[in-house]
Amino acid sequence: MAGVGIEAISKSYGGIPVLRGVSLDVRDGEFLTLLGPSGCGKSTLLRIIAGLEIQDGGEIAIGGRPVDGARPKRRDVAMVFQSYALYPHMTVAANMALPLRMRRLSRWQRLPLIGPLLPGARAATARIEEEVRRTAAALEIGHVLERRPGQLSGGQRQRVAVGRAMVRQPAVFLMDEPLSNLDAKLRVTMRAEIKELHRRLGTTFIYVTHDQAEAMTLSDRVAVMLGGELLQVAAPQEIYADPADRRVAEFIGSPRINLIPAKVRDAGAVEIAGERIAVATGLPAGSQVTLGIRPEALFPAMPDERGFHGHVRLVEHLGSDLYVHLDAAGMAEPLIARLRAERAPDLAIGMPLRLTARTGHILLFDADGRRLRSNASAGSSDIPALGPELFAEPVP
Amino acid sequence: MSVSAQTVAAIPDPLPDRTPRRSSAIRMRALREELAALALAGPATALLLALFILPVVAVFIIALSDWQFGARTLRFVGLANFAEIAGDEGFHASLLNTLLYVLMVVPGTVLSGLGIALAIESGRSLRALYRAIHFLPFMATLAAMAIAWEALLHPTIGPVNQALAGLGLPTANWLRNEATVLPVLAVIGIWQNLGFAMVLFLAGLKSIPQDLYDAAEIDGADGWLDRLRTVTLPMLGPVSLFVVVVVALRAFEVFDTVQILTEGGPGRASEVLLLTLYRESFEFLHAGYGAAVTIVVLAIAVMLTLAQAKLLDRKVHYQ
């Protein structure tokens, strides 16, 4: 078991930077997810940790030991690939035994025909077979050990790939989108199994995905990457509720967070499409800010209340919830609200609707996309909830 | 029933006796499709018949006769031609020579083709150039190339012997010596087929996923030999099978180099099956005997291919 120290890693391909000085400390035994859209550099970072790519600058340490010059097999890491990368000509048992055979048997002992006759080979092979059987039993693939990968289902292949990584008890597990090739239902099952595996083994896991649901459900901490940079590293609920950056807020959450450009009017309010909205920014009047409102923070205003008003553009029924798209006055993009189905039973396309939110549920970002934490709430981590008086008074 | 009856009643019918008309329209359409199918498949079928199937049938018929090439009459002799083949020492020598030639050319071509493909693939620069250089012999006219080889191997003024003499090594009359003639012909065969094998192996190497090499590296199989044994060779299985079968068949059909360089000599030391076939049929005009030889060659080729496919298939992984 070991933590992984990642210090100022940079990498470019043909002059195009892929990683720009990424630093991150993965704690011993932690489940850390590298989350980001494709091309953000997360897989490259994982491959650098594994030793499959060499960084241009920066250092990697596994268990406190620098490994920058070490080949992958000296790093005590195991990796599960998106394609599983099982050897198609070998049985499941041989696939799982390979990492142990390469480590425990000498070059001569591995030779076909003569190898098993050399002293010690038979005993070592028997031990390896026993360990493979134990691991396979733990992953419930004991009955397919003699089959080839081509004869297995997607879920079984995935387990074999995990088994091959598990069997030699590495210090760190690296997983590169291991669930992407599975169908949606199996993905949810395997997600739970990976979580359970981590709990049982207690080993450090570094998991790469572009799927926020995987990141949120599996991880102790999520590291959100974008454009080769690390934007935020925090626990899943914190990433969601308290994003440090507009891009993090945008990437996490489905449907996407509503981002509304606004102008600071005075210390206690901003202006959107001529409406005065009670949000304390602490910025000088006239500054540009962006309000972020999660779809579930929006709700229909009471008849006598003000709010973002407009006409319903689209209603998506999801059983328990509705996604309501509202063409709100003065806004370029429709607002999306997630409403409990029973709270808005008779919404239809084209109906007028007012939506409002509680001030406490509004995230504020400055012109550069950095999160603004209101001066009014200095000391506290969030803007205090003021009740539904977001639209304090009409603009004179 | 009542619903459909109502529907029919509700819609005024412009064609009262619609049913028979429609079925005749359908028949016409089916007929048109059949004619179109015949028109499309017909030319190819006719060509196949004329160029492939009928000649084969003709060969089978001629093999059972004593027909002399060009003669106006023939007499059926049953299996006499085959009996003659079984007892013919010339044919035995020819068969043995051909098998030896195949046994030299196939491993030589496959191993050198694979080696060159691996070398080209592992290098970074000038890949296209190396590929083209090694593929050229396969593209070249073999008759012309054979003459070039003859010049190279000339006993006195040939560069090969001159180079050997210059190094103080023994020289030989390569194409006139019973011991060297077949191996030298095999070397020429390897040289010619090498590019073909190499191109196929290069394509096979390209299709091996990088993930497998990565996995092998993490699993500890990171030496070149381990990588070759764990990933490269097993993944090249299907391509290798194809290369072995095709090169074996090409080697089995060797003719032009032998005809140009040695004409089967010295003695019968380089006589091969196709040469026997050619001579019997077109030089000695024993068309019946030649046809029987053709059938034996065909049978051997088919058996070789089937045996190879069966044997290798068990060891080969197909994705």
Side-chain angles (χ1 to χ4, degrees), chain B residues 22-53:
Chain B
R22 182 184 275 175
S23 79
S24 83
I26 287 174
R27 265 209 307 277
M28 273 305 293
R29 200 177 141 192
L31 189 68
R32 265 208 310 277
E33 277 186 10
E34 266 171 45
L35 285 175
L38 271 179
L40 289 171
T45 313
L47 278 177
L48 261 181
L49 269 174
L51 297 177
F52 189 73
I53 296 168

Side-chain angles (χ1 to χ4, degrees), chain A residues 92 96 132-146:
Chain A
V92 168
M96 287 174 67
V132 166
R133 265 198 299 277
R134 258 206 322 268
T135 309
L139 290 167
E140 294 169 25
I141 46 173
H143 58 293
V144 297
L145 277 178
E146 293 314 311

Side-chain angles (χ1 to χ4, degrees), chain B residues 2 9 35 48 50 53 62 81 87 96-97 120 143 183 197 219 231-232 243-244 250 252 271 278:
Chain B
S2 66
L35 285 175
L48 261 181
I53 296 168
I62 294 168
N81 286 326
L96 186 69
N97 284 338
I120 290 178
D219 287 343
V231 180
T232 313
V243 171
V244 166
R250 285 176 58 88
F252 200 74
E271 181 156 342
Y278 169 76

Side-chain angles (χ1 to χ4, degrees), chain B residues 51-247:
Chain B
L51 297 177
F52 189 73
I53 296 168
L54 289 180
V56 169
V57 172
V59 165
F60 271 87
I61 293 169
I62 294 168
L64 299 173
S65 76
D66 69 346
W67 189 51
Q68 298 272 324
F69 190 67
R72 288 180 173 277
T73 56
L74 58 77
R75 193 165 54 88
F76 284 97
V77 294
L79 295 176
N81 286 326
F82 293 94
E84 196 184 336
I85 287 175
D88 184 353
E89 273 182 34
F91 180 81
H92 292 169
S94 167
L95 179 62
L96 186 69
N97 284 338
T98 308
L99 292 180
L100 282 175
Y101 179 84
V102 170
L103 284 179
M104 284 187 277
V105 169
V106 171
T109 306
V110 171
L111 291 181
S112 51
L114 179 62
I116 290 170
L118 286 171
I120 290 178
E121 187 63 22
S122 67
R124 292 198 181 279
S125 53
L126 298 177
R127 279 186 188 178
L129 176 71
Y130 293 134
R131 248 192 338 247
I133 287 175
H134 288 100
F135 196 66
L136 269 180
F138 188 71
M139 304 285 289
T141 314
L142 195 58
M145 288 300 114
I147 291 162
W149 274 101
E150 192 171 24
L152 279 176
L153 295 167
H154 191 278
T156 49
I157 55 165
V160 173
N161 272 356
Q162 285 186 348
L164 285 174
L167 291 169
L169 294 169
T171 61
N173 188 348
W174 302 103
L175 296 171
R176 299 282 172 272
N177 183 331
E178 283 191 17
T180 57
V181 65
L182 210 52
V184 165
L185 285 172
V187 167
I188 297 173
I190 292 171
W191 170 83
Q192 196 219 343
N193 286 310
L194 188 71
F196 174 69
M198 173 206 72
V199 163
L200 289 172
F201 279 126
L202 275 176
L205 285 173
K206 282 251 182 297
S207 71
I208 301 177
Q210 179 61 32
D211 269 2
L212 279 185
Y213 287 112
D214 289 346
E217 201 163 347
I218 287 191
D219 287 343
D222 53 2
W224 69 270
L225 186 63
D226 286 326
R227 219 173 30 226
L228 204 64
R229 273 183 48 199
T230 317
V231 180
T232 313
L233 291 183
M235 296 303 288
L236 284 180
V239 174
S240 309
L241 173 67
F242 181 72
V243 171
V244 166
V245 169
V246 172
V247 171

Side-chain angles (χ1 to χ4, degrees), chain A residues 108-240:
Chain A
W108 304 110
Q109 287 173 323
R110 287 200 306 267
L111 282 180
L113 300 177
I114 358 167
L117 304 175
L118 295 176
R122 208 163 281 234
T125 306
R127 270 201 308 280
I128 289 172
E129 281 171 7
E130 176 52 32
E131 283 170 48
V132 166
R133 265 198 299 277
R134 258 206 322 268
T135 309
L139 290 167
E140 294 169 25
I141 46 173
H143 58 293
V144 297
L145 277 178
E146 293 314 311
R147 291 199 208 153
R148 303 244 165 116
Q151 299 164 292
L152 302 181
S153 69
Q156 284 172 328
R157 278 184 225 183
Q158 224 269 323
R159 278 172 217 232
V160 176
V162 171
R164 184 175 65 182
M166 227 171 101
V167 72
R168 53 170 239 252
Q169 303 173 333
V172 181
F173 271 91
L174 306 174
M175 299 197 163
D176 190 2
E177 310 232 9
L179 302 182
S180 307
N181 283 358
L182 300 177
D183 62 62
K185 200 172 156 193
L186 198 54
R187 207 177 299 164
V188 175
T189 320
M190 293 307 293
R191 202 164 74 191
E193 285 191 21
I194 288 180
K195 181 88 179 156
E196 166 63 21
L197 183 73
H198 173 250
R199 202 185 55 75
R200 208 167 61 210
L201 299 176
T203 313
T204 312
F205 274 53
I206 303 179
Y207 187 101
V208 161
T209 185
H210 65 271
D211 179 356
Q212 45 169 310
E214 276 172 32
M216 303 297 265
T217 50
L218 284 169
S219 324
D220 295 323
R221 283 194 302 162
V222 178
V224 183
M225 289 185 71
L226 209 75
E229 280 175 295
L230 210 52
L231 295 181
Q232 189 172 8
V233 187
Q237 57 276 26
E238 195 182 332
I239 291 267
Y240 183 77

